[in-house]
Amino acid sequence: MSALALSVLLSLVSAVAYAGGAIVQEQVAVSAPDRSYAPLTRPAWWAAVVLNGLGGLLHVAALAYGPLSLVQPLGALTIVFALPMAALCVGRRAGTTAWRGAVMATVGLAGLLSLVGASDTHSLGGAQRMTLALVTAGGVMALMAAGRATSRHPAVRSVLLAVASGVAFGMSSVFTKTVAVDWTGGVSLADLPSLAAIGVLATAGLLLSQASYRGAGLAAPLATLTVVNPVAAAAVGITLFGETFRYGTTGTVLALVCGVLAAGGLILLTTERIDGERRPAAVGEALTEAPGEPWPKARSVPEPATPVRKTVPDEQGMAGKTYGEWDPAAYGEPSRPYGPLHTGVFIPAPVMDRHRARAGS
Protein backbone atom coordinates (compact mmCIF):
# COMPACT_ATOMS: atom_id res chain seq x y z
CA MET A 1 0.00 0.00 0.00
CA SER A 2 1.35 3.40 -0.96
CA ALA A 3 1.90 6.16 1.60
CA LEU A 4 -0.89 8.26 0.05
CA ALA A 5 -3.42 5.41 0.22
CA LEU A 6 -2.41 4.68 3.83
CA SER A 7 -2.89 8.35 4.68
CA VAL A 8 -6.42 8.30 3.18
CA LEU A 9 -7.29 5.09 5.05
CA LEU A 10 -6.03 6.47 8.36
CA SER A 11 -7.98 9.70 7.79
CA LEU A 12 -11.22 7.81 7.14
CA VAL A 13 -10.80 5.62 10.23
CA SER A 14 -9.98 8.73 12.26
CA ALA A 15 -13.20 10.37 11.07
CA VAL A 16 -15.17 7.25 12.04
CA ALA A 17 -13.57 7.25 15.51
CA TYR A 18 -14.40 10.93 16.01
CA ALA A 19 -17.99 10.29 14.88
CA GLY A 20 -18.35 7.37 17.29
CA GLY A 21 -17.00 9.45 20.15
CA ALA A 22 -19.47 12.25 19.33
CA ILE A 23 -22.41 9.82 19.30
CA VAL A 24 -21.42 8.39 22.68
CA GLN A 25 -20.98 11.89 24.11
CA GLU A 26 -24.43 12.89 22.90
CA GLN A 27 -25.99 9.80 24.47
CA VAL A 28 -24.22 10.53 27.76
CA ALA A 29 -25.57 14.09 27.64
CA VAL A 30 -29.12 12.79 27.09
CA SER A 31 -28.93 10.24 29.91
CA ALA A 32 -27.23 12.61 32.37
CA PRO A 33 -28.63 16.09 31.66
CA ASP A 34 -27.56 17.50 35.04
CA ARG A 35 -23.87 16.78 34.43
CA SER A 36 -23.12 19.09 31.55
CA TYR A 37 -19.32 19.11 31.45
CA ALA A 38 -17.67 16.04 32.90
CA PRO A 39 -19.73 13.01 33.94
CA LEU A 40 -16.62 11.24 35.20
CA THR A 41 -18.53 8.44 36.89
CA ARG A 42 -20.07 7.24 33.63
CA PRO A 43 -18.14 4.46 31.80
CA ALA A 44 -19.61 5.67 28.51
CA TRP A 45 -17.91 9.02 29.05
CA TRP A 46 -14.51 7.34 29.23
CA ALA A 47 -15.36 5.33 26.13
CA ALA A 48 -15.98 8.61 24.33
CA VAL A 49 -12.63 9.92 25.58
CA VAL A 50 -10.88 6.80 24.24
CA LEU A 51 -12.58 7.16 20.84
CA ASN A 52 -11.64 10.83 20.59
CA GLY A 53 -8.07 10.05 21.59
CA LEU A 54 -7.90 7.29 19.00
CA GLY A 55 -9.21 9.67 16.36
CA GLY A 56 -6.54 12.21 17.27
CA LEU A 57 -3.72 9.66 17.09
CA LEU A 58 -4.91 8.38 13.71
CA HIS A 59 -5.14 11.94 12.43
CA VAL A 60 -1.54 12.63 13.44
CA ALA A 61 -0.45 9.36 11.81
CA ALA A 62 -2.30 10.33 8.62
CA LEU A 63 -0.45 13.64 8.57
CA ALA A 64 2.84 11.73 8.83
CA TYR A 65 2.07 9.82 5.61
CA GLY A 66 0.11 12.34 3.59
CA PRO A 67 -0.05 16.06 2.83
CA LEU A 68 -2.01 18.45 5.02
CA SER A 69 -4.11 19.62 2.05
CA LEU A 70 -5.52 16.06 1.75
CA VAL A 71 -5.77 14.95 5.39
CA GLN A 72 -7.54 18.03 6.75
CA PRO A 73 -10.46 17.98 4.24
CA LEU A 74 -10.96 14.25 4.88
CA GLY A 75 -11.35 15.02 8.57
CA ALA A 76 -14.47 17.00 7.66
CA LEU A 77 -16.21 13.71 6.84
CA THR A 78 -16.83 13.20 10.56
CA ILE A 79 -20.27 14.80 10.39
CA VAL A 80 -21.18 12.80 7.26
CA PHE A 81 -20.26 9.53 9.01
CA ALA A 82 -21.95 10.52 12.28
CA LEU A 83 -25.48 10.91 10.89
CA PRO A 84 -25.90 7.38 9.45
CA MET A 85 -24.00 5.87 12.38
CA ALA A 86 -26.39 7.57 14.81
CA ALA A 87 -29.40 6.29 12.86
CA LEU A 88 -27.97 2.76 12.82
CA CYS A 89 -26.66 2.53 16.38
CA VAL A 90 -29.06 4.58 18.50
CA GLY A 91 -32.03 5.06 16.18
CA ARG A 92 -31.60 8.84 15.92
CA ARG A 93 -32.67 9.76 12.40
CA ALA A 94 -31.70 13.05 10.83
CA GLY A 95 -34.12 15.07 8.73
CA THR A 96 -33.63 16.34 5.20
CA THR A 97 -32.59 19.77 6.46
CA ALA A 98 -29.92 18.25 8.70
CA TRP A 99 -28.49 16.19 5.84
CA ARG A 100 -28.46 19.19 3.52
CA GLY A 101 -26.73 21.31 6.14
CA ALA A 102 -24.18 18.58 6.90
CA VAL A 103 -23.27 18.14 3.23
CA MET A 104 -22.99 21.89 2.71
CA ALA A 105 -20.76 22.31 5.77
CA THR A 106 -18.52 19.38 4.74
CA VAL A 107 -18.13 20.49 1.11
CA GLY A 108 -17.46 24.09 2.13
CA LEU A 109 -14.89 23.08 4.72
CA ALA A 110 -13.16 20.62 2.40
CA GLY A 111 -12.93 23.23 -0.33
CA LEU A 112 -11.63 25.86 2.06
CA LEU A 113 -8.90 23.64 3.48
CA SER A 114 -7.85 22.37 0.08
CA LEU A 115 -7.17 25.95 -1.02
CA VAL A 116 -4.77 26.68 1.85
CA GLY A 117 -1.24 26.54 0.48
CA ALA A 118 1.79 25.09 2.24
CA SER A 119 4.61 27.20 3.60
CA ASP A 120 7.97 26.75 5.18
CA THR A 121 7.55 25.23 8.61
CA HIS A 122 8.59 27.51 11.41
CA SER A 123 7.83 27.84 15.08
CA LEU A 124 6.34 30.61 17.14
CA GLY A 125 8.35 32.81 19.49
CA GLY A 126 7.78 33.00 23.21
CA ALA A 127 5.84 36.29 23.00
CA GLN A 128 3.64 34.96 20.17
CA ARG A 129 2.81 31.82 22.13
CA MET A 130 1.88 33.82 25.22
CA THR A 131 -0.30 36.21 23.19
CA LEU A 132 -1.99 33.33 21.39
CA ALA A 133 -2.69 31.51 24.66
CA LEU A 134 -4.16 34.63 26.33
CA VAL A 135 -6.32 35.52 23.31
CA THR A 136 -7.56 31.93 23.07
CA ALA A 137 -8.39 31.77 26.78
CA GLY A 138 -10.25 35.09 26.59
CA GLY A 139 -12.23 34.02 23.52
CA VAL A 140 -13.18 30.65 25.00
CA MET A 141 -14.30 32.24 28.29
CA ALA A 142 -16.36 34.85 26.41
CA LEU A 143 -18.10 32.12 24.41
CA MET A 144 -18.79 30.17 27.60
CA ALA A 145 -20.31 33.26 29.22
CA ALA A 146 -22.46 33.87 26.14
CA GLY A 147 -23.60 30.25 26.24
CA ARG A 148 -24.53 30.59 29.89
CA ALA A 149 -26.49 33.77 29.14
CA THR A 150 -28.51 31.97 26.43
CA SER A 151 -29.30 28.89 28.52
CA ARG A 152 -33.01 29.29 27.74
CA HIS A 153 -32.29 28.58 24.08
CA PRO A 154 -30.56 25.16 23.94
CA ALA A 155 -29.75 25.33 20.21
CA VAL A 156 -27.98 28.71 20.46
CA ARG A 157 -26.22 27.68 23.66
CA SER A 158 -25.05 24.47 21.99
CA VAL A 159 -23.60 26.28 18.98
CA LEU A 160 -21.74 28.77 21.17
CA LEU A 161 -20.19 26.01 23.28
CA ALA A 162 -19.33 24.04 20.12
CA VAL A 163 -17.57 27.11 18.72
CA ALA A 164 -15.60 27.42 21.96
CA SER A 165 -14.70 23.73 21.76
CA GLY A 166 -13.61 24.09 18.14
CA VAL A 167 -11.42 27.07 18.98
CA ALA A 168 -9.81 25.19 21.87
CA PHE A 169 -9.11 22.13 19.71
CA GLY A 170 -7.82 24.27 16.85
CA MET A 171 -5.40 26.17 19.06
CA SER A 172 -4.28 22.89 20.59
CA SER A 173 -3.35 21.75 17.08
CA VAL A 174 -1.39 24.97 16.54
CA PHE A 175 0.63 24.44 19.72
CA THR A 176 1.14 20.79 18.77
CA LYS A 177 2.56 21.82 15.42
CA THR A 178 4.82 24.35 17.11
CA VAL A 179 6.19 21.78 19.55
CA ALA A 180 6.69 19.25 16.73
CA VAL A 181 8.75 21.79 14.81
CA ASP A 182 10.81 22.57 17.93
CA TRP A 183 11.51 18.88 18.56
CA THR A 184 13.11 18.45 15.15
CA GLY A 185 16.15 20.14 16.70
CA GLY A 186 15.93 18.19 19.98
CA VAL A 187 13.71 18.10 23.05
CA SER A 188 13.94 21.20 25.22
CA LEU A 189 12.55 22.17 28.61
CA ALA A 190 11.46 25.47 27.09
CA ASP A 191 8.54 23.62 25.48
CA LEU A 192 6.97 22.72 28.83
CA PRO A 193 4.61 25.76 28.81
CA SER A 194 3.50 24.80 25.30
CA LEU A 195 2.88 21.21 26.39
CA ALA A 196 0.84 22.51 29.32
CA ALA A 197 -1.16 24.70 26.93
CA ILE A 198 -1.82 21.65 24.73
CA GLY A 199 -3.12 19.67 27.70
CA VAL A 200 -5.33 22.49 28.97
CA LEU A 201 -6.78 23.34 25.56
CA ALA A 202 -7.42 19.71 24.61
CA THR A 203 -9.16 19.06 27.94
CA ALA A 204 -11.22 22.23 27.63
CA GLY A 205 -12.23 21.28 24.09
CA LEU A 206 -13.36 17.84 25.22
CA LEU A 207 -15.39 19.17 28.17
CA LEU A 208 -16.98 21.92 26.08
CA SER A 209 -17.91 19.47 23.35
CA GLN A 210 -19.62 17.29 25.97
CA ALA A 211 -21.59 20.29 27.26
CA SER A 212 -22.60 21.32 23.73
CA TYR A 213 -24.51 18.05 23.18
CA ARG A 214 -26.82 18.60 26.17
CA GLY A 215 -30.33 19.34 24.89
CA ALA A 216 -29.23 20.08 21.33
CA GLY A 217 -28.94 16.75 19.53
CA LEU A 218 -25.96 15.56 17.52
CA ALA A 219 -25.84 17.24 14.11
CA ALA A 220 -25.56 20.96 14.94
CA PRO A 221 -22.86 20.75 17.68
CA LEU A 222 -20.76 18.21 15.78
CA ALA A 223 -20.91 20.13 12.51
CA THR A 224 -20.00 23.38 14.27
CA LEU A 225 -17.07 21.74 16.04
CA THR A 226 -15.91 20.03 12.85
CA VAL A 227 -15.90 23.30 10.91
CA VAL A 228 -14.53 25.67 13.57
CA ASN A 229 -11.61 23.44 14.59
CA PRO A 230 -9.66 23.47 11.27
CA VAL A 231 -10.80 26.95 10.34
CA ALA A 232 -9.35 28.37 13.57
CA ALA A 233 -6.09 26.51 12.98
CA ALA A 234 -5.97 27.69 9.35
CA ALA A 235 -6.59 31.29 10.42
CA VAL A 236 -3.60 31.14 12.76
CA GLY A 237 -1.54 29.48 10.04
CA ILE A 238 -2.35 32.27 7.60
CA THR A 239 -1.70 35.10 10.06
CA LEU A 240 1.29 33.73 12.01
CA PHE A 241 2.84 30.97 9.88
CA GLY A 242 2.73 32.87 6.61
CA GLU A 243 0.41 30.42 4.85
CA THR A 244 -1.60 31.72 1.88
CA PHE A 245 -4.40 30.55 -0.37
CA ARG A 246 -3.49 28.85 -3.61
CA TYR A 247 -4.11 30.38 -7.04
CA GLY A 248 -3.76 33.95 -5.85
CA THR A 249 -6.85 36.16 -6.05
CA THR A 250 -8.94 33.38 -7.61
CA GLY A 251 -8.12 31.05 -4.75
CA THR A 252 -9.02 33.74 -2.20
CA VAL A 253 -12.41 34.30 -3.82
CA LEU A 254 -13.06 30.54 -3.94
CA ALA A 255 -12.08 30.27 -0.29
CA LEU A 256 -14.61 32.96 0.62
CA VAL A 257 -17.31 31.10 -1.34
CA CYS A 258 -16.44 27.87 0.47
CA GLY A 259 -16.57 29.67 3.79
CA VAL A 260 -20.03 31.04 3.03
CA LEU A 261 -21.16 27.56 1.97
CA ALA A 262 -19.93 26.04 5.23
CA ALA A 263 -21.58 28.81 7.25
CA GLY A 264 -24.85 28.23 5.40
CA GLY A 265 -24.70 24.56 6.30
CA LEU A 266 -24.25 25.39 9.96
CA ILE A 267 -27.20 27.80 9.82
CA LEU A 268 -29.38 25.07 8.32
CA LEU A 269 -28.39 22.66 11.07
CA THR A 270 -29.10 25.20 13.79
CA THR A 271 -32.42 26.23 12.22
CA GLU A 272 -33.51 22.61 11.94
CA ARG A 273 -32.78 22.10 15.62
CA ILE A 274 -34.66 25.26 16.68
CA ASP A 275 -37.70 24.25 14.62
CA GLY A 276 -37.59 20.81 16.23
CA GLU A 277 -37.73 22.46 19.66
CA ARG A 278 -40.64 24.74 18.79
CA ARG A 279 -42.93 22.02 17.45
CA PRO A 280 -43.00 19.92 20.66
CA ALA A 281 -43.40 23.10 22.71
CA ALA A 282 -46.43 24.15 20.66
CA VAL A 283 -47.98 20.68 20.96
CA GLY A 284 -47.40 20.67 24.71
CA GLU A 285 -49.09 24.06 25.09
CA ALA A 286 -52.08 22.85 23.08
CA LEU A 287 -52.41 19.71 25.17
CA THR A 288 -52.14 21.71 28.36
CA GLU A 289 -54.92 24.08 27.39
CA ALA A 290 -57.24 21.53 25.79
CA PRO A 291 -58.37 19.49 28.84
CA GLY A 292 -58.96 22.56 30.99
CA GLU A 293 -61.06 24.50 28.51
CA PRO A 294 -62.71 22.18 25.98
CA TRP A 295 -65.46 24.71 25.23
CA PRO A 296 -65.50 28.51 25.09
CA LYS A 297 -66.24 30.17 28.35
CA ALA A 298 -69.87 31.21 28.94
CA ARG A 299 -70.56 34.91 29.14
CA SER A 300 -71.31 35.88 32.71
CA VAL A 301 -73.98 38.43 33.56
CA PRO A 302 -72.54 41.23 35.67
CA GLU A 303 -73.97 41.63 39.14
CA PRO A 304 -75.98 44.82 39.78
CA ALA A 305 -74.30 47.50 41.76
CA THR A 306 -77.17 47.67 44.28
CA PRO A 307 -78.72 44.38 45.45
CA VAL A 308 -82.37 43.96 44.54
CA ARG A 309 -84.74 43.57 47.47
CA LYS A 310 -87.59 41.28 46.63
CA THR A 311 -90.47 42.38 48.81
CA VAL A 312 -93.81 40.88 49.66
CA PRO A 313 -96.77 42.67 48.04
CA ASP A 314 -98.74 45.11 50.14
CA GLU A 315 -101.04 42.53 51.60
CA GLN A 316 -102.14 42.47 55.22
CA GLY A 317 -99.55 44.88 56.43
CA MET A 318 -96.50 43.16 54.94
CA ALA A 319 -95.46 45.94 52.56
CA GLY A 320 -91.73 46.72 52.66
CA LYS A 321 -90.74 43.49 54.34
CA THR A 322 -88.54 40.95 52.67
CA TYR A 323 -89.09 37.24 52.50
CA GLY A 324 -86.58 36.71 55.22
CA GLU A 325 -88.45 39.00 57.58
CA TRP A 326 -91.88 37.48 56.92
CA ASP A 327 -93.16 34.74 59.20
CA PRO A 328 -95.78 32.64 57.40
CA ALA A 329 -96.92 31.04 60.65
CA ALA A 330 -98.17 34.40 61.90
CA TYR A 331 -100.71 34.64 59.13
CA GLY A 332 -103.33 32.26 57.88
CA GLU A 333 -104.04 28.99 59.60
CA PRO A 334 -101.28 27.87 61.96
CA SER A 335 -101.77 24.28 60.90
CA ARG A 336 -101.36 25.16 57.27
CA PRO A 337 -99.04 28.13 57.08
CA TYR A 338 -98.31 29.64 53.79
CA GLY A 339 -94.71 29.84 52.83
CA PRO A 340 -92.85 31.48 49.96
CA LEU A 341 -92.26 29.38 46.88
CA HIS A 342 -88.78 28.73 45.54
CA THR A 343 -89.32 30.72 42.39
CA GLY A 344 -91.45 33.69 41.51
CA VAL A 345 -93.09 36.26 43.73
CA PHE A 346 -95.24 34.97 46.58
CA ILE A 347 -98.76 36.41 46.87
CA PRO A 348 -100.56 35.30 50.02
CA ALA A 349 -104.17 34.16 49.67
CA PRO A 350 -106.77 36.41 51.29
CA VAL A 351 -107.98 35.28 54.72
CA MET A 352 -111.74 34.86 54.99
CA ASP A 353 -113.31 36.19 58.21
CA ARG A 354 -115.92 33.61 59.34
CA HIS A 355 -117.38 35.89 62.01
CA ARG A 356 -118.05 38.85 59.77
CA ALA A 357 -121.53 40.25 60.39
CA ARG A 358 -124.09 39.96 57.68
CA ALA A 359 -125.59 43.10 56.30
CA GLY A 360 -129.07 43.68 57.39
CA SER A 361 -131.85 43.74 54.91
Side-chain angles (χ1 to χ4, degrees):
M1 181 181 293
S2 64
L4 184 61
L6 181 59
S7 175
V8 171
L9 179 60
L10 291 174
S11 298
L12 295 177
V13 178
S14 172
V16 171
Y18 277 132
I23 293 172
V24 175
Q25 282 184 280
E26 195 266 342
Q27 290 299 303
V28 170
V30 171
S31 60
D34 296 335
R35 301 176 181 180
S36 58
Y37 286 95
L40 301 178
T41 58
R42 300 292 301 275
W45 157 257
W46 293 106
V49 172
V50 171
L51 287 172
N52 282 298
L54 178 61
L57 291 176
L58 292 173
H59 183 73
V60 172
L63 288 174
Y65 289 99
L68 180 65
S69 59
L70 175 66
V71 174
Q72 285 294 95
L74 289 176
L77 295 175
T78 300
I79 181 61
V80 178
F81 290 153
L83 294 182
M85 286 173 62
L88 181 63
C89 298
V90 297
R92 183 179 293 275
R93 298 181 180 274
T96 304
T97 304
W99 273 105
R100 189 182 300 117
V103 171
M104 287 177 59
T106 303
V107 172
L109 177 60
L112 179 63
L113 295 178
S114 63
L115 290 171
V116 177
S119 64
D120 297 335
T121 58
H122 62 276
S123 179
L124 297 176
Q128 289 179 322
R129 298 184 192 190
M130 181 62 66
T131 302
L132 183 60
L134 293 177
V135 170
T136 302
V140 169
M141 293 179 65
L143 289 169
M144 291 176 62
R148 186 180 182 85
T150 58
S151 58
R152 295 184 178 181
H153 304 281
V156 179
R157 169 189 168 279
S158 168
V159 170
L160 290 173
L161 293 180
V163 171
S165 176
V167 170
F169 277 130
M171 295 304 102
S172 175
S173 299
V174 171
F175 278 100
T176 301
K177 182 178 180 180
T178 301
V179 172
V181 172
D182 291 343
W183 282 2
T184 56
V187 179
S188 174
L189 293 178
D191 291 325
L192 287 178
S194 298
L195 293 174
I198 293 171
V200 171
L201 290 173
T203 303
L206 183 62
L207 298 179
L208 288 170
S209 66
Q210 177 64 54
S212 67
Y213 291 115
R214 183 166 61 90
L218 176 68
L222 180 58
T224 303
L225 172 61
T226 304
V227 170
V228 172
N229 180 0
V231 168
V236 174
I238 291 173
T239 55
L240 297 181
F241 290 158
E243 298 178 351
T244 57
F245 291 111
R246 298 176 181 177
Y247 313 117
T249 305
T250 303
T252 303
V253 173
L254 290 175
L256 291 176
V257 172
C258 291
V260 171
L261 185 63
L266 294 180
I267 292 173
L268 281 180
L269 288 167
T270 306
T271 304
E272 188 264 347
R273 184 62 192 177
I274 293 176
D275 292 339
E277 292 171 357
R278 287 176 178 173
R279 283 193 292 269
V283 173
E285 291 176 0
L287 292 176
T288 302
E289 294 177 359
E293 298 179 0
W295 302 102
K297 291 183 178 180
R299 297 179 60 186
S300 59
V301 179
E303 294 291 337
T306 303
V308 178
R309 291 173 57 88
K310 296 181 180 180
T311 60
V312 179
D314 188 4
E315 193 73 26
Q316 300 202 12
M318 289 300 299
K321 293 185 178 181
T322 63
Y323 285 120
E325 298 170 349
W326 179 71
D327 185 8
Y331 301 92
E333 298 180 3
S335 61
R336 298 179 61 186
Y338 293 97
L341 302 177
H342 292 286
T343 58
V345 179
F346 174 71
I347 300 176
V351 179
M352 301 299 292
D353 188 2
R354 297 177 181 178
H355 302 287
R356 186 171 58 180
R358 295 183 180 181
S361 57

